[in-house]
Amino acid sequence: MPKYVVDFAEPIVQNENELLILVKASAVKNLDKMQASGKHYSSQNEVFTAKVVGGDGVGVLADGTRVYGIGVGGMIAEKAIVEKKRMVRLPVNIDDATAAALPNAVMGSALALRFRAGLQKGETVLINGATGVTGKIAVQIAKHYGAKKVIVTGRNEQSLNELLSLGADEIISLKQDDEAFITRLKILQQQNPIDVVIDYLWGKSAELILSALKGNGGFSHHTRYVNCWRNDERFNYIVIFHFTQYSYSAFRFGLRNLDARRINTIDYRNTSRNVSACC
């Protein structure tokens, strides 16, 4: 059962690299909820004590400057401590709530596109599961980074159509039958070979995408596949397609560096089981 305290002591700046801010807004993310409940992998070995939750937020410095920052401690409070190097001044035309809510989705898309996939100008991107908040941001960021074409998948028909106004060039419904989905994706692949896949769903939809993109006995187009389904370093990896009909090579990029190391060559016919085991 949750345990509560009456109040917490006011946070105190510990060194010259820290600043006290008056918090104006802090988003409650799935990460925050998982950490608070002890279900997130980063909190598995923690000794549970009462603490302020919330990892980031918007606040005002002593001189009146409005900033977004990542907290040294919890941010869902009246006051919090942030490090100088982990905050950014906010423009006047963005409100507190939006500024607090956007970073999680931006990091979930920009990091995948820019640093994991290494998206280059003129490339074609497929975003699997683009109808959520992060997926919608990913469409816009992909265009911002210069993607020539953005293909999106999703189940919500209304949200899929809305993505066209955000920069998506092609929409594919996940509610259609498997054969129709694969056929449609193969046609798009022939028209504009897909360079990057950002996958927010994994599971059955990923299997269908792999079926559409696999080779036919010869070398196929290289596609960088970034899985964002699990919030866990062990399940965050890149797959490079460049082998034959039934296999591809998987490379993983660690969170602390961008040095690729080969994991193994995976038999496509046992994709789900082997990917989970190797990564």
Side-chain angles (χ1 to χ4, degrees):
M1 293 293 292
K3 296 181 179 180
Y4 303 95
V5 296
V6 176
D7 207 349
F8 288 90
E10 184 171 316
I12 299 174
V13 171
Q14 299 295 322
N15 56 64
E16 62 182 11
N17 296 316
E18 295 180 352
L19 292 171
L20 179 71
I21 67 170
L22 301 178
V23 180
K24 296 299 182 181
S26 181
V28 180
K29 304 174 292 297
N30 287 332
L31 171 62
D32 300 321
K33 292 187 286 187
M34 291 177 69
Q35 288 178 329
S37 66
K39 295 179 180 178
H40 190 261
Y41 71 91
S42 66
S43 58
Q44 288 176 354
N45 298 319
E46 277 191 7
V47 177
F48 282 90
T49 58
K51 60 183 179 181
V52 179
V53 297
D56 59 353
V58 171
V60 179
L61 300 176
D63 63 1
T65 302
R66 198 168 61 108
V67 298
Y68 162 82
I70 297 176
V72 173
M75 291 286 287
I76 302 179
E78 294 177 355
K79 298 178 181 180
I81 303 295
V82 297
E83 293 182 352
K84 293 178 180 178
K85 64 181 180 180
R86 304 183 77 184
M87 69 177 193
V88 60
R89 185 188 303 244
L90 292 173
V92 296
N93 59 345
I94 187 170
D95 63 87
D96 294 337
T98 302
L102 273 179
N104 186 58
V106 171
M107 286 188 279
S109 50
L111 293 179
L113 286 163
R114 189 74 164 188
F115 298 102
R116 294 284 185 169
L119 177 65
Q120 302 296 312
K121 289 183 178 181
E123 291 189 319
T124 297
V125 179
L126 167 63
I127 300 173
N128 185 35
T131 53
V133 175
T134 304
K136 290 177 180 178
I137 296 295
V139 171
Q140 298 171 76
I141 289 181
K143 285 291 187 175
H144 174 74
Y145 286 152
K148 177 179 66 176
K149 189 170 188 177
V150 176
I151 304 165
V152 297
T153 73
R155 297 183 181 89
N156 187 306
E157 299 293 342
Q158 180 179 341
S159 295
L160 269 177
N161 284 294
E162 289 174 354
L163 288 170
L164 294 171
S165 66
L166 296 178
D169 299 289
E170 300 282 352
I171 58 176
I172 309 177
S173 174
L174 289 170
K175 296 175 73 173
Q176 61 187 310
D177 66 78
D178 295 354
E179 201 59 45
F181 179 92
I182 291 173
T183 299
R184 177 60 178 156
L185 192 53
K186 282 184 175 181
I187 292 173
L188 293 175
Q189 169 78 339
Q190 291 172 355
Q191 293 173 348
N192 288 102
I194 296 169
D195 302 291
V196 172
V197 177
I198 304 297
D199 183 6
Y200 293 110
L201 298 179
W202 195 234
K204 178 65 177 294
S205 60
E207 293 181 12
L208 297 178
I209 292 171
L210 298 181
S211 295
L213 299 185
K214 68 181 182 181
N216 58 2
F219 283 92
S220 58
H221 184 76
H222 292 211
T223 300
R224 308 186 297 281
Y225 195 114
V226 182
N227 171 247
C228 305
W229 175 62
R230 290 288 297 272
N231 189 21
D232 186 330
E233 181 183 359
R234 293 171 300 168
F235 288 85
N236 199 340
Y237 55 87
I238 290 181
V239 175
I240 311 293
F241 297 90
H242 62 105
F243 280 119
T244 58
Q245 181 174 5
Y246 292 118
S247 66
Y248 55 82
S249 286
F251 294 80
R252 175 181 169 193
F253 289 74
L255 292 179
R256 293 177 179 82
N257 62 71
L258 294 178
D259 295 326
R261 64 181 177 85
R262 180 166 175 177
I263 297 173
N264 62 9
T265 299
I266 303 169
D267 187 333
Y268 174 74
R269 290 163 290 188
N270 295 304
T271 299
S272 297
R273 175 174 59 81
N274 286 342
V275 167
S276 297
C278 79
C279 303

